[in-house]
């Protein structure tokens, strides 16, 4: 099997590319999977995007993203849940098995972290059956704790697994993203637990580098540039029996300023060097 | 008892002040404790600083900081441990019961997080008896995981307690700092555990605000400006039976650019509003 057989490229990694460019670039480079965000799919048109990717012979490994349902106010909360149902529909239309969920953070002046976390569990209860009926697994992504207040109140793999466990495994799983969880003291045990409970729905990779830029969002590192033992974590993931895609999702301002084909070639090379 | 009876001001909170100014300002404001960093103490002179603070009737609640012993190279490691022994001596001279330990991070290109964490435990084993003989408790401070690679491989309260437990409680404890641990999913249980095991050596407070600035270090929030339920966490700490100082340690570029007395008055007011 090709060394690249499990590689997938998340559209945020080469955000300067349109969906069409991403698909053509991956075909050209021998990359078999793509993980688009909803925005480029919507820009291209949902059915059209589904056809484009299918005709190119690529797999859609995940759709990013649902979530952002921590809000308490009823109207906003209903809108958030409706939007998540649409995201599930979009994943189904794309023949994509996994919808990534980023929970959302706290509102302005909001200090009720516990309450927000409870609302995450409640939102999952509303969405899980809907996803299950459409053959889509909701994948709870714990984000690095530095995003706890503004993006995601789910902060650790252990917490994500706990949130997933009340639901059938085909409905709700978790994302292991090396960028977000590399520092976790019990990472090895939690990856094993995700595997044993059948919850390891998606594996994403990026490296950790410093200094973090202002706002920290676009500071992820190219594979091999930072402190994450990527191959070691991949082995832990593989050891659970997981044989799904390895999705490269790197938010990096510098990479987005470069030529897309050059970035993709570099990602492929770094993947060979640090993950295969 | 005065509402301010447990308040202590860390020198980094008003870094624009010299040690002399900090002591005078705290006396003037009715703040009974100070927590100096080693640098302003050295700048003023150790014995002289001890006398200054004692004569002013203030308590030295902690000395910041020891640690930075994750390095593997033998010469650098020996130098780090020697420096920690000096820090312990300084704490003893200042009649300060607690030395804060920030472990240090990873070297350039270093991906061996596990190894660094093992070296932290080894360093503690070398330093704990030395500290115990001098009446100083080493307080392991877990830093927010965003500092894992460059400042501190100890990232959670649970991990810090695990590191402390092999040693007598009077030799090694932990720091609960709201800035670093407010997001922890099991915060309540871990604060309780720190209390039950006699390890809650120091309580520090700062608020969490976003966006984080470049480098993230100087982005802590003034009390009440952010998302941390300060009073709730203080109650958890107090419920363990802890009756030690509440140390305000805020690294904030904006606060450092203002008049020191104005900043102190604001801190005192915010402390009354959000922590008493």
């Amino acid at each position: 099997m090709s060394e690249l057989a499990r590689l997938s490229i998340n559209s945020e990694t080469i955000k300067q590319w349109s969906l069409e460019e991403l698909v053509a670039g991956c075909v050209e480079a021998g990359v078999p999977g793509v993980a688009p965000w909803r925005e480029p799919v919507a820009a291209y048109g949902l059915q059209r995007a589904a056809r484009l990717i299918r005709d190119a012979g690529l797999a859609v490994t995940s759709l990013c993203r649902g979530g952002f349902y921590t809000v308490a106010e009823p109207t906003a909360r209903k809108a958030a849940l409706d939007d998540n149902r649409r995201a599930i529909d979009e994943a189904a239309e794309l023949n994509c098995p996994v919808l990534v969920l980023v929970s959302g953070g706290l509102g302005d002046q909001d200090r009720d972290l516990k309450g927000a976390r409870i609302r995450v569990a409640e939102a999952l209860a509303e969405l899980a059956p809907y996803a299950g009926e459409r053959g889509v697994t909701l994948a709870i992504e714990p984000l690095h704790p530095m995003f706890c207040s503004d993006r995601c109140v789910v902060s650790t793999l252990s917490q994500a697994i706990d949130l997933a466990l009340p639901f059938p495994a085909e409905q709700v799983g978790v994302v292991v993203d090396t960028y977000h969880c590399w520092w976790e003291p019990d990472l090895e045990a939690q990856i094993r637990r995700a595997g044993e409970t059948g919850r390891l729905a998606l594996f994403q990779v990026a490296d950790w580098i410093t200094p973090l830029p202002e706002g920290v969002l676009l500071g992820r590192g190219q594979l091999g540039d930072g402190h994450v033992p990527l191959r070691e974590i991949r082995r832990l993931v593989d050891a659970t029996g997981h044989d799904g895609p390895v999705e490269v999702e790197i938010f990096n301002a510098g990479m987005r300023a470069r030529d897309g084909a050059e970035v993709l070639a570099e990602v492929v090379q770094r993947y060979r060097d640090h993950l295969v």
Side-chain angles (χ1 to χ4, degrees), chain A residues 22-260:
Chain A
L22 178 65
V23 167
C26 284
V27 169
E28 171 76 20
V31 175
V34 289
W37 277 48
R38 295 174 68 195
E39 293 75 3
V41 168
Y44 192 77
L46 177 61
Q47 278 85 15
R48 210 174 147 228
R51 202 165 46 238
L52 171 76
I53 300 170
R54 189 182 56 237
D55 290 352
L58 299 181
V60 181
T61 57
S62 76
L63 180 66
C64 290
R65 61 191 185 185
F68 289 86
Y69 36 47
T70 47
V71 62
E73 191 279 315
T75 308
R77 181 163 177 77
K78 183 181 178 308
L81 291 172
D82 287 347
D83 186 59
N84 275 277
R85 288 186 196 93
R86 281 193 296 276
I88 292 165
D89 293 342
E90 290 162 24
E93 178 73 33
L94 291 166
N95 198 25
C96 165
V98 170
L99 175 66
V100 173
L101 299 180
V102 174
S103 75
L106 301 172
D108 284 351
Q109 308 282 315
D110 185 2
R111 298 188 185 112
D112 185 16
L113 178 57
K114 269 191 212 166
R117 285 172 167 167
I118 288 167
R119 288 192 293 280
V120 170
E122 292 169 349
L124 289 168
E126 292 209 36
L127 297 171
Y130 188 91
E133 287 160 15
R134 283 150 189 83
V136 174
T137 301
L138 302 174
I140 304 169
E141 180 161 21
L143 254 55
H144 193 286
M146 70 187 175
F147 295 118
C148 185
S149 73
D150 61 354
R151 277 197 170 73
C152 187
V153 296
V154 181
S155 308
T156 66
L157 201 44
S158 166
Q159 185 191 5
I161 297 169
D162 288 346
L163 282 163
L165 285 179
F167 307 99
E170 68 274 15
Q171 289 180 15
V172 186
V174 303
V175 182
V176 173
D177 183 320
T178 60
Y179 187 74
H180 296 303
C181 71
W182 75 279
W183 61 272
E184 292 193 31
D186 59 346
L187 181 62
E188 195 166 335
Q190 294 303 328
I191 288 176
R192 200 164 47 233
R193 180 172 166 239
E196 285 166 359
T197 57
R199 305 292 165 163
L200 210 165
L202 187 64
F203 179 45
Q204 295 184 321
V205 292
D207 215 331
W208 177 272
I209 54 173
T210 58
L212 292 162
E214 186 184 353
V216 307
L217 187 63
L218 302 182
R220 299 192 195 184
Q222 170 64 287
L223 308 175
D225 278 353
H227 296 281
V228 177
L230 293 165
R231 187 174 281 113
E232 186 183 321
I233 297 178
R234 174 171 179 171
R235 286 191 180 141
L236 293 174
V237 167
D238 286 358
T240 68
H242 180 78
D243 58 1
V246 180
E247 245 182 44
V248 179
E249 187 186 46
I250 305 172
F251 293 55
N252 180 295
M255 286 168 67
R256 291 181 182 177
R258 291 163 55 195
D259 173 69

